[in-house]
Amino acid sequence: MKLIFLPRRVSQSLTLDTSKSTHQFMLMGFLLLPFVLGGLSFWIYSSSLKQASETQLMDQWQQELARQAANVEQTQQRVGDELSAMTAKVAELQARLMRLDALGEQVTQVAQLDNGEFDFSRRPAVGGPELVSDTYPVALSVLDKHSSLQLMLGQLVTHIDNREQQLAMLDKQLAARDTRMQTFVAGKPVTKGWMSSSFGRRTDPFSGKQSWHEGVDFAGNAGVEVIAVASGVVTHSGRKSGYGNIVELNHGNGYVTRYAHNDTHQVSIGDIVEKGQVIATMGSSGRSTGPHVHFEVLKNGQPMNPERYIYRASL
Ligand SMILES: [Zn+2]
């Protein structure tokens, strides 16, 4: 076949022999063949290289994964062990708290306090099988243990907060009661001695006339300790006409006690004294026939019969 091109400008036609071009093409192909083969073998070589490095990477990756998995397992084991230890510790704390509750309850009962305000037997919501670590099934996951532990810790915190408040209230009540007990006028004003004169009408030992005795007398040996019958503040410590050396204590709630005819004083005005504290020694100062303590109890300024206070039971 012959193709004849007839360009307008060129007068003669251009003839292309196809058989010739086929030859040319084949020749060109032949010349290019080494390059093509070279490229192809390079491609195969490089892709095989790539494959080899990929396999190597995969191996490395798998090894790394295995290492990581072992690490995770180890960590999980360690965390699990630690959690178990902590769970046991929390359970121990809960047990101790329960013993404290029992103690608080006992104190409330012994002190005969109104337990309506603080009830140690009423426990904040605690418990469940997670209380004792030994009961944990082995299969329980670390996460389950963790959340159980968190729950236990939360309950423990609530329990402690609650008990803290209750114990503070108990302390306040006991302190108030202690103050009441301490300032409660009761008992004898001497450690040794006997009552030698009672309250009220009597024959005056000096004049021999009927008179009114505003206290009671405790006779004893000179130097015997004179003690405060209740805690209070020293409002007088010195001489007073008729009384000799006298100590006066104010106990609050309108109560005042007086201890007269003392030999020596061991307190000064403004001192705070405790119940049973030695405030003076027995003497015979003032209008006195011998060593004794003249003891008065005043309520709102009125002399009361001290015997009612001496022999009354403590709160
Ligand atoms: Zn007297």
Side-chain angles (χ1 to χ4, degrees):
M1 184 179 72
K2 272 184 184 172
L3 293 168
I4 300 164
F5 297 95
L6 294 169
R8 277 182 200 161
R9 281 192 200 164
V10 182
S11 55
Q12 65 184 103
S13 64
L14 191 73
T15 310
L16 191 73
D17 192 341
T18 51
S19 62
K20 197 180 170 188
S21 73
T22 307
H23 286 149
Q24 280 173 341
F25 181 74
M26 280 176 69
L27 186 68
M28 250 169 65
F30 213 70
L31 284 171
L32 284 172
L33 193 64
F35 294 101
V36 172
L37 282 175
L40 197 67
S41 55
F42 178 74
W43 180 75
I44 290 167
Y45 173 72
S46 65
S47 64
S48 69
L49 253 185
K50 201 172 154 194
Q51 206 174 3
S53 66
E54 270 174 2
T55 315
Q56 209 178 355
L57 268 176
M58 278 288 282
D59 280 351
Q60 280 180 352
W61 198 29
Q62 267 171 345
Q63 278 172 11
E64 186 59 32
L65 271 178
R67 228 185 350 256
Q68 292 293 336
N71 257 343
V72 166
E73 206 176 328
Q74 222 174 11
T75 309
Q76 225 169 5
Q77 180 67 39
R78 209 181 56 235
V79 169
D81 289 350
E82 280 171 6
L83 275 175
S84 293
M86 279 170 76
T87 307
K89 191 80 196 159
V90 168
E92 189 199 315
L93 283 174
Q94 278 181 330
R96 283 171 69 179
L97 201 55
M98 277 173 194
R99 278 200 294 276
L100 278 176
D101 275 358
L103 194 67
E105 213 171 334
Q106 215 179 345
V107 169
T108 311
Q109 278 172 8
V110 168
Q112 292 177 319
L113 289 165
D114 177 23
N115 65 357
E117 281 186 75
F118 39 89
D119 186 0
F120 287 97
S121 60
R122 194 177 58 224
R123 296 190 174 89
V126 286
E130 73 276 10
L131 265 180
V132 184
S133 60
D134 294 351
T135 60
Y136 270 126
V138 180
L140 203 63
S141 78
V142 168
L143 266 180
D144 283 347
K145 271 192 182 180
H146 183 253
S147 53
S148 289
L149 188 64
Q150 267 189 329
L151 188 73
M152 282 166 78
L153 280 171
Q155 287 173 343
L156 202 59
V157 167
T158 312
H159 198 149
I160 289 170
D161 281 352
N162 186 286
R163 290 304 175 257
E164 224 166 30
Q165 283 173 16
Q166 288 192 328
L167 282 170
M169 275 204 291
L170 182 67
D171 188 48
K172 221 153 87 177
Q173 279 213 19
L174 283 175
R177 210 173 77 136
D178 192 46
T179 308
R180 280 204 307 278
M181 261 170 74
Q182 287 295 312
T183 57
F184 185 74
V185 176
K188 285 186 192 176
V190 286
T191 50
K192 278 180 203 163
W194 61 96
M195 200 188 285
S196 55
S197 184
S198 52
F199 178 83
R201 195 177 296 277
R202 70 165 183 179
T203 306
D204 188 275
F206 282 92
S207 64
K209 290 178 185 169
Q210 284 288 302
S211 65
W212 188 259
H213 192 214
E214 291 195 330
V216 293
D217 293 340
F218 278 90
N221 297 322
V224 160
E225 291 173 333
V226 177
I227 54 169
V229 294
S231 64
V233 182
V234 178
T235 48
H236 186 86
S237 178
R239 288 196 75 81
K240 203 170 183 176
S241 176
Y243 288 96
N245 293 325
I246 179 172
V247 171
E248 189 181 88
L249 303 178
N250 189 317
H251 308 285
N253 294 318
Y255 281 103
V256 167
T257 53
R258 286 173 176 162
Y259 313 77
H261 309 301
N262 304 317
D263 183 22
T264 60
H265 284 177
Q266 296 182 12
V267 289
S268 309
I269 292 177
D271 283 356
I272 290 169
V273 296
E274 287 176 16
K275 189 183 181 82
Q277 188 178 324
V278 177
I279 52 173
T281 52
M282 194 184 280
S284 191
S285 57
R287 263 179 111 243
S288 171
T289 54
H292 79 283
V293 175
H294 169 83
F295 177 59
E296 287 182 15
V297 174
L298 292 100
K299 190 181 179 187
N300 300 321
Q302 292 298 311
M304 312 298 287
N305 183 355
E307 281 185 63
R308 283 173 50 195
Y309 297 91
I310 289 166
Y311 300 112
R312 73 172 171 175
S314 292
L315 267 180

